[in-house]
Amino acid sequence: MNRKEYNNSVDLYADGLYRFMLKSIGNENDAQDIVQDVFLKLWEKIDTVNAEKVKSYLFTAAYRTMLDRIKKMKPLSTETVAYTEPNHHEQYSDAGEILNKAVNNLPEKQRSAIRLRDYEGYSYQEIGEILKMKESQVKITIFRARKTLKNYIGSLEVLI
């Protein structure tokens, strides 16, 4: 990879990478820091990264950096978290907010896979490269995430 290809990758992928990190981590400053760290890592490895695989490299590095950051922020706990069924007694019409809340309640792998597929439009193969999963595992993960989202949201009456 040369300088021109590096600059081109910044132009092509910085916005998408930032959106993915912002939706994943929920904090603008942390998302900006992660994107900056990832492009710094890319610059340091400019001679070893293939320009055709830079997209996969960037998203994989961002995902791993985000996981490292989360691990540092949260001390490991031996307690298990109990899942409670969502309760939708009040009427609310902001479907986007309800969907974002539902996505945020998904396990990390499912949340990342759904965001990469449905929000960013990546193929199953690209998601597999980013999340270090087989393509079939990606499809199963997304299927399970969508099923969980469907159960969370319930019927269309909740959204109206």
Side-chain angles (χ1 to χ4, degrees), residues 96-106 148-149 152-153:
E97 189 174 321
I98 292 172
L99 186 58
N100 281 333
K101 184 178 178 185
V103 170
N104 288 335
N105 287 333
L106 291 172
T148 302
L149 292 173
Y152 180 86
I153 294 172

Side-chain angles (χ1 to χ4, degrees), residues 3-149:
R3 232 177 244 227
K4 184 177 180 181
E5 292 169 328
Y6 174 85
N7 289 333
N8 191 34
S9 68
V10 171
D11 292 339
L12 289 174
Y13 305 118
D15 290 339
L17 197 60
Y18 173 73
R19 278 193 315 273
F20 175 57
M21 285 296 98
L22 182 60
K23 293 219 180 251
S24 297
I25 207 160
N27 182 307
E28 290 181 18
N29 292 329
D30 288 341
Q32 290 171 351
D33 289 346
I34 290 171
V35 171
Q36 185 174 5
D37 288 347
V38 168
F39 278 107
L40 179 62
K41 288 177 188 176
L42 177 61
W43 181 255
E44 291 169 350
K45 296 183 179 192
I46 195 168
D47 295 329
T48 59
V49 175
N50 184 346
E52 285 145 17
K53 297 196 177 216
V54 71
K55 179 180 179 182
S56 176
Y57 173 85
L58 290 169
F59 279 84
T60 301
Y63 179 73
R64 300 280 179 220
T65 303
M66 178 192 70
L67 291 179
D68 289 343
R69 217 173 252 253
I70 290 171
K71 286 177 188 174
K72 287 178 185 177
M73 291 178 352
K74 294 181 187 175
L76 292 177
S77 173
T78 57
E79 297 176 23
T80 58
V81 177
Y83 176 76
T84 57
E85 282 295 316
N87 191 356
H88 297 289
H89 290 296
E90 33 183 275
Q91 287 189 334
Y92 193 68
S93 62
D94 191 357
E97 189 174 321
I98 292 172
L99 186 58
N100 281 333
K101 184 178 178 185
V103 170
N104 288 335
N105 287 333
L106 291 172
E108 180 59 41
K109 284 269 189 199
Q110 289 181 3
R111 183 171 55 238
S112 295
I114 281 288
R115 287 191 172 129
L116 287 169
R117 178 70 180 170
D118 295 340
Y119 288 65
E120 299 296 328
Y122 290 100
S123 70
Y124 293 119
Q125 182 181 2
E126 291 172 320
I127 295 169
E129 291 173 8
I130 292 168
L131 300 180
K132 303 292 184 210
M133 299 168 71
K134 294 180 183 176
E135 190 173 336
S136 60
Q137 290 174 313
V138 171
K139 290 177 182 179
I140 291 168
T141 301
I142 290 173
F143 171 79
R144 289 179 180 161
R146 288 178 177 158
K147 188 175 178 182
T148 302
L149 292 173

